[in-house]
Amino acid sequence: MNLTSSRHHSDACKPIQPAPLKVENTGHSLQINFPLSHDDNPVIPGGYVLLLGRKHHLRQIHFHAPSEHRVHGEAHRMEAHFVHATDRGQLLVMGLFMDVAGDGQEAATFLDWIIPVAGQCDIKGKQSEVEPSMDLEAVATVIRKSVSYYCYQGSLTTPPLSDGVYWLLCSDVVKFRLEVISAIETDLPKRNFRPAQLSHAHARPTNLRTEFRLFL
């Protein structure tokens, strides 16, 4: 999306503890899979976004390079998608812009563990299970500190391109070490992004103060 909608602020975030994860090359992206969690059976690792009174549980994280969203026409080096779903299958995706930290810039470290793992998932279908390594508390902190968010209803950007997906995009760009970005990019198809769609046709700005409570 080429977004030009107004800026909104978050309500609250709740971090959770890290635990074992599974990483796989899906052919579309490098994907971090979380154990299935449900309303009556929460599982660690994981988390949820509470939207309109329903818990959207964290299912997986995957990556696109360059970013699929554009803000005022500008794309970024990479974009992470945190895919959530309710017990009834309603989808919500949180988007996070990623770029390489410059000299003197602080780099986020919660994806440093993926550098050696990515090398084990270099072709479609390959998987790797990792011990507790991803600091979801750090992820929650990054999301909570974002200056603003873009929110709209759209679709998945990879097959089956399902409609009716709630999107929440952090406006801040999170910086990582070059080694992290390069390791992920190595496992991605070239330019694995969906072409930008017109924001006026899809974006539906939502007031986060009244409709969103964020948990991770």
Side-chain angles (χ1 to χ4, degrees):
M1 295 290 175
N2 187 5
L3 300 177
T4 57
S5 55
S6 58
R7 301 165 78 175
H8 303 287
H9 295 268
S10 67
D11 213 3
C13 286
K14 182 180 179 180
I16 62 173
Q17 298 179 357
L21 303 168
K22 291 184 178 180
V23 181
E24 69 169 321
N25 186 322
T26 66
H28 297 292
S29 183
L30 186 66
Q31 184 167 297
I32 305 168
N33 295 314
F34 289 77
L36 289 179
S37 184
H38 301 282
D39 291 349
D40 58 355
N41 184 32
V43 177
I44 294 176
Y48 64 86
V49 174
L50 183 63
L51 168 64
L52 302 178
R54 294 181 179 177
K55 291 182 180 179
H56 295 67
H57 299 276
L58 181 59
R59 297 295 189 228
Q60 48 103 335
I61 304 170
H62 65 267
F63 305 88
H64 296 274
S67 66
E68 293 196 311
H69 289 88
R70 298 180 182 181
V71 178
H72 301 296
E74 180 182 359
H76 295 283
R77 176 77 172 258
M78 186 175 289
E79 184 176 334
H81 288 167
F82 295 73
V83 181
H84 300 68
T86 67
D87 286 353
R88 295 184 178 182
Q90 172 64 55
L91 296 174
L92 180 148
V93 182
M94 301 180 72
L96 195 68
F97 289 129
M98 301 171 60
D99 213 330
V100 176
D103 293 340
Q105 290 184 316
E106 183 177 1
T109 60
F110 58 80
L111 284 176
D112 283 1
W113 61 273
I114 209 168
I115 296 174
V117 176
Q120 302 170 23
C121 303
D122 55 344
I123 61 174
K124 181 180 179 179
K126 277 199 171 183
Q127 298 186 14
S128 180
E129 184 171 315
V130 297
E131 294 301 317
S133 50
M134 186 168 183
D135 187 353
L136 290 178
E137 292 187 12
V139 180
T141 297
V142 167
I143 293 174
R144 183 173 58 247
K145 286 184 176 180
S146 185
V147 173
S148 60
Y149 306 86
Y150 295 99
C151 181
Y152 67 95
Q153 281 187 279
S155 66
L156 293 178
T157 63
T158 57
L161 303 177
S162 305
D163 288 322
V165 178
Y166 291 108
W167 279 88
L168 177 64
L169 178 67
C170 298
S171 65
D172 287 6
V173 181
V174 183
K175 302 300 179 68
F176 295 85
R177 294 166 51 201
L178 175 61
E179 293 84 352
V180 173
I181 299 290
S182 297
I184 297 173
E185 286 180 335
T186 298
D187 288 348
L188 302 182
K190 290 185 178 180
R191 301 177 66 81
N192 73 326
F193 66 97
R194 185 183 184 184
Q197 311 293 304
L198 294 176
S199 61
H200 67 74
H202 296 274
R204 297 179 184 177
T206 302
N207 189 328
L208 297 181
R209 292 181 182 277
T210 60
E211 298 195 36
F212 276 90
R213 292 175 59 198
L214 309 181
F215 297 83
L216 190 68

